[in-house]
Amino acid sequence: MNPALTNLVLMLVNMQVARRLDFEDPTILLYVRIAYVTATVLVLSIYLYVRSVIISKNDLTTLKYVEPSSPLSGETGEKLQVTTVKDYDLKQINSSIKGVFTGLAMMGFMHIYMKYTNPLFMQTISPIKSALEANIVKIHLFGKPATGDLKRPFKAASLFGGLGGAGSSDVKTDKASIEKAETSGAGGIKEE
């Protein structure tokens, strides 16, 4: 099933359940807080376990790909990235771990400072679902082979489901693109 569709269904179900909860009741509020903290700890535990698996595998296979320029960075042209599978996977999982702390900070601000409780309830299930659907988790936790959609480098998920600008922001892994980037001097320095 499409993850975007299941996220929408999950959000709608959570909204209906949240309507029926009395967030003014201190007992219900305590349970919602406990559920949120438990979900956050579970997601962080999944990511940290996957990170330890990546480090223990120590896959030093070279990975080359051509990254498109980011319109927000002001860079023009494509850049060759040369890294190892281990470094690429660590970069991905570290980004996910950083996302957990960013979400925690946002939720802390919304709940503690602004006194919103509904988003706290809404964020109990979706982060777990997102963590279990992450490509890096599928490979290292569930042991799925890194082929097809799980082939490195991972395709960036589009906000619009592939509408508009398709192909222009894709990472290129074909030999011709890599050779062109190597000869043009667009990167090629191994990331540390």
Side-chain angles (χ1 to χ4, degrees):
M1 193 170 189
N2 184 355
L5 183 62
T6 57
N7 284 343
L8 180 64
V9 169
L10 188 64
M11 185 180 68
L12 292 174
V13 168
N14 274 351
M15 285 172 58
Q16 294 303 316
V17 172
R19 280 188 182 170
R20 290 170 174 49
L21 293 177
D22 178 20
F23 289 112
E24 300 299 319
D25 181 358
T27 307
I28 290 177
L29 186 57
L30 176 67
Y31 287 138
V32 169
R33 287 175 177 161
I34 290 170
Y36 176 74
V37 169
T38 304
T40 303
V41 168
L42 179 64
V43 169
L44 193 58
S45 299
I46 289 170
Y47 288 148
L48 290 174
Y49 175 74
V50 168
R51 188 176 191 285
S52 70
V53 169
I54 292 168
I55 291 170
S56 68
K57 283 184 180 178
N58 199 26
D59 188 352
L60 300 177
T61 307
T62 302
L63 180 65
K64 289 184 179 183
Y65 57 96
V66 179
E67 241 179 20
S69 61
S70 172
L72 301 176
S73 69
E75 295 176 359
T76 56
E78 300 170 327
K79 185 175 181 186
L80 177 67
Q81 297 292 331
V82 181
T83 186
T84 63
V85 169
K86 176 186 174 183
D87 290 340
Y88 180 81
D89 288 356
L90 282 174
K91 183 178 176 185
Q92 296 295 312
I93 202 68
N94 288 339
S95 173
S96 297
I97 291 169
K98 184 178 175 184
V100 169
F101 288 111
T102 302
L104 192 60
M106 285 176 29
M107 204 52 56
F109 173 76
M110 289 176 67
H111 181 63
I112 295 168
Y113 183 73
M114 299 181 76
K115 307 291 185 212
Y116 290 135
T117 53
N118 202 4
L120 193 68
F121 175 74
M122 301 293 285
Q123 288 298 310
T124 55
I125 298 173
S126 58
I128 297 171
K129 180 183 175 296
S130 296
L132 295 175
E133 289 177 345
N135 290 340
I136 199 78
V137 172
K138 288 179 183 177
I139 292 170
H140 293 289
L141 184 66
F142 300 126
K144 294 193 176 183
T147 57
D149 288 343
L150 300 179
K151 187 174 189 289
R152 294 173 190 92
F154 305 130
K155 290 184 173 76
S158 172
L159 291 174
F160 305 107
L163 298 175
S168 62
S169 63
D170 288 342
V171 174
K172 296 177 184 169
T173 57
D174 60 293
K175 190 175 181 177
S177 296
I178 291 171
E179 286 178 357
K180 180 181 174 189
E182 285 175 334
T183 56
S184 70
I189 300 169
K190 185 179 183 297
E191 290 181 1
E192 293 296 327

